[in-house]
Amino acid sequence: MKVALVNQPLDGSLPPTQTSLSIWSYQVARRLASDHDVTVYGKKNGPGEKVELRDGVRYFHASPNVDRRLMPLLDRFASPSPTLPVATARTYGLGYAMQVALDLRAQKCDRALVFNYSQFAPVIKRISPRTGVILNMQCEWLSQFDPTVIRRRLRNVDAIVGCSDYIARKIRERFPDFQGPCRALFNGVDIQHFSGDGHRPAPDGRKRLLFVGRISPEKGVHVLIDAFVRLLDRHPDAQLDIVGAHAVCPRDILVDLSDEPTVRELARFYDERGYFGHLQDRIEAAGIGDHVIFSGFVPHAESAEHYHAAHVLINPSLSEAFGMSLAEAMAAGVPVVATRVGGMPEIVDDGQTGRLVEPDDAEALAKAILDVLADEGRRRAMGLAGRNRAKHLFSWDRIADELRSICASV
């Protein structure tokens, strides 16, 4: 079978210019290539051939120049909608989608897995009608946007997978008339990479807390800082390592679309100070600047070192489709504390691999972290249980096998 993985239009396919989703396609494609003809589509970054072969996978690098020429013209005819942000409008990425669809037709691809951009499905079906389209949703867009528009697009989709059952369930509830299968297909983790030499916090007695993710309001870093202030009463030498780029999610595809009160309240962070400014104010007011480290963006290949040095990984998100940092921490043997939000309860076995708390509750978050830190033996047991769970549920081999089954069933 000929299978294509279609990255988002701004994502490069190959290291080092990868996002979390193009890492997904890169890891799965290499495994599918053992018994399928696989093509991965992504944005062309810099000079080089338009098509190249690596590890038995064909990579097609679409030119961004097509959209640069098209968008000024198409913008004249695009009508803004409060429930359909620009990035998901029918005309957004049309040049990219056309390049992909034309190559799918030339290659006679049987299946195409498309990340997030439902507007690509009608383009692919019109140009390459024999290609079965599988929509891979890594966010809540389908259940948030104008259902009339989305329903038209889903007529061109043969199957939907969500990165968690939370995402798949919301889609099924919103579109019970969708004719194809709609199920969960988890994100994966390189188990060997994150296990490395094992979990080994420095033996200086200092408790090290870790956050990994974008510095954006919905990630709840402000709640974590408030919880950390409370925790310092018990562990006055503790350190909080915040790893991630300053990449605030646009308000129109987060706050304005959400029906969750805790997410709607995040509007207060979209002002002239910006989210990072608000975090700095909190840290300065609490006088904890010496205890908080903003490590910035860390390449994926180097992130395992941060996990190995941590006593606990915290994900305090207020909106989270999956929770990749939890799966990575568990693969590294690190216990986790997370909120009962989105897909994260599907990752964490509460009480066994870590703890779950309600969102936007700094006091409950602090208590859960303290509980994990209190007993070294229990913390190690949680780390071991987490690693076993990650191997069972989130290995790339398992994800590739599940995708094989989905492609065969469409």
Side-chain angles (χ1 to χ4, degrees):
M1 184 181 296
K2 291 188 174 183
V3 179
L5 305 180
V6 183
N7 286 317
Q8 298 180 128
L10 297 181
D11 293 351
S13 300
L14 292 166
T17 58
Q18 289 177 304
T19 64
S20 59
L21 298 190
S22 54
I23 290 172
W24 195 106
S25 63
Y26 177 73
Q27 293 287 356
V28 170
R30 295 159 67 204
R31 289 161 173 81
L32 286 181
S34 64
D35 54 353
H36 292 303
D37 291 336
V38 183
T39 297
V40 175
Y41 296 90
K43 185 186 75 168
K44 183 176 178 60
N45 288 309
E49 297 296 327
K50 185 173 184 177
V51 176
E52 59 180 302
L53 295 175
R54 290 196 194 182
D55 302 320
V57 177
R58 177 178 178 267
Y59 291 91
F60 181 99
H61 306 298
S63 171
N65 293 330
V66 179
D67 277 307
R68 287 175 187 153
R69 291 191 292 265
L70 276 177
M71 288 310 295
L73 176 63
L74 295 173
D75 283 347
R76 299 178 186 176
F77 304 99
S79 56
S81 167
T83 58
L84 204 64
V86 172
T88 57
R90 180 171 57 91
T91 56
Y92 184 85
L94 179 59
Y96 176 80
M98 291 175 63
Q99 292 177 78
V100 169
L102 288 168
D103 193 70
L104 288 172
R105 184 176 66 184
Q107 297 298 316
K108 298 181 179 179
C109 279
D110 301 295
R111 306 286 183 268
L113 182 86
V114 178
F115 285 100
N116 288 334
Y117 283 75
S118 58
Q119 68 264 43
F120 292 174
V123 180
I124 291 172
K125 280 295 189 181
R126 180 176 293 273
I127 296 176
S128 183
R130 71 183 299 273
T131 301
V133 176
I134 304 167
L135 198 56
N136 186 347
M137 296 307 301
Q138 300 278 332
C139 58
E140 299 185 41
W141 286 352
L142 290 191
S143 59
Q144 291 176 327
F145 295 160
D146 185 336
T148 303
V149 173
I150 298 301
R151 187 171 282 108
R152 285 199 300 266
R153 294 177 180 179
L154 293 186
R155 293 172 189 155
N156 300 279
V157 173
D158 299 284
I160 303 172
V161 295
C163 62
S164 60
D165 190 58
Y166 165 77
I167 294 294
R169 184 175 65 253
K170 291 196 74 170
I171 297 169
R172 291 194 298 267
E173 291 171 354
R174 189 68 177 270
F175 301 102
D177 53 337
F178 176 68
Q179 296 298 307
C182 179
R183 51 161 291 187
L185 177 63
F186 286 147
N187 292 329
V189 177
D190 188 334
I191 302 296
Q192 186 58 43
H193 171 71
F194 282 97
S195 64
D197 296 330
H199 183 214
R200 52 181 193 286
D204 57 6
R206 189 175 192 182
K207 301 304 182 186
R208 288 175 166 79
L209 283 59
L210 176 65
F211 167 88
V212 178
R214 288 182 298 103
I215 312 302
S216 185
E218 81 279 10
K219 298 299 183 181
V221 183
H222 56 288
V223 183
L224 174 55
I225 289 173
D226 290 347
F228 184 63
V229 172
R230 292 167 167 80
L231 178 143
L232 285 171
D233 290 339
R234 292 275 298 275
H235 298 281
D237 61 346
Q239 175 181 303
L240 173 60
D241 184 12
I242 299 175
V243 176
H246 299 172
V248 173
C249 183
R251 176 173 170 163
D252 67 334
I253 61 173
L254 175 66
V255 175
D256 296 345
L257 288 176
S258 179
D259 55 5
E260 294 291 338
T262 54
V263 178
R264 300 286 293 185
E265 291 171 4
L266 296 176
R268 68 188 187 274
F269 293 116
Y270 288 83
D271 59 16
E272 65 279 357
R273 279 186 295 171
Y275 187 56
F276 189 67
H278 281 273
L279 298 181
Q280 293 285 29
D281 289 347
R282 267 179 160 81
I283 292 168
E284 184 177 346
I288 60 172
D290 292 340
H291 295 266
V292 180
I293 299 172
F294 284 94
S295 296
F297 170 76
V298 173
H300 190 255
E302 300 172 15
S303 61
E305 297 177 10
H306 290 266
Y307 288 106
H308 293 159
H311 288 86
V312 58
L313 179 283
I314 304 104
N315 188 328
S317 285
L318 307 177
S319 175
E320 191 73 72
F322 180 71
M324 181 59 76
S325 65
L326 300 174
E328 291 176 345
M330 287 162 53
V334 181
V336 299
V337 175
T339 48
R340 289 189 180 89
V341 166
M344 295 199 291
E346 300 169 43
I347 301 175
V348 181
D349 187 354
D350 192 16
Q352 300 300 312
T353 66
R355 291 291 309 279
L356 289 170
V357 300
E358 295 306 311
D360 201 23
D361 188 335
E363 185 171 350
L365 187 64
K367 287 181 179 178
I369 297 169
L370 286 169
D371 179 61
V372 173
L373 294 176
D375 186 332
E376 182 177 352
R378 186 182 180 203
R379 190 170 66 247
R380 288 182 176 177
M382 282 182 166
L384 179 60
R387 176 161 165 72
N388 290 335
R389 184 171 174 83
K391 286 195 292 186
H392 176 66
L393 292 178
F394 309 122
S395 74
W396 286 120
D397 288 335
R398 179 188 176 106
I399 306 308
D401 284 344
E402 290 193 21
L403 182 57
R404 284 187 180 92
S405 176
I406 293 166
C407 287
S409 67
V410 171

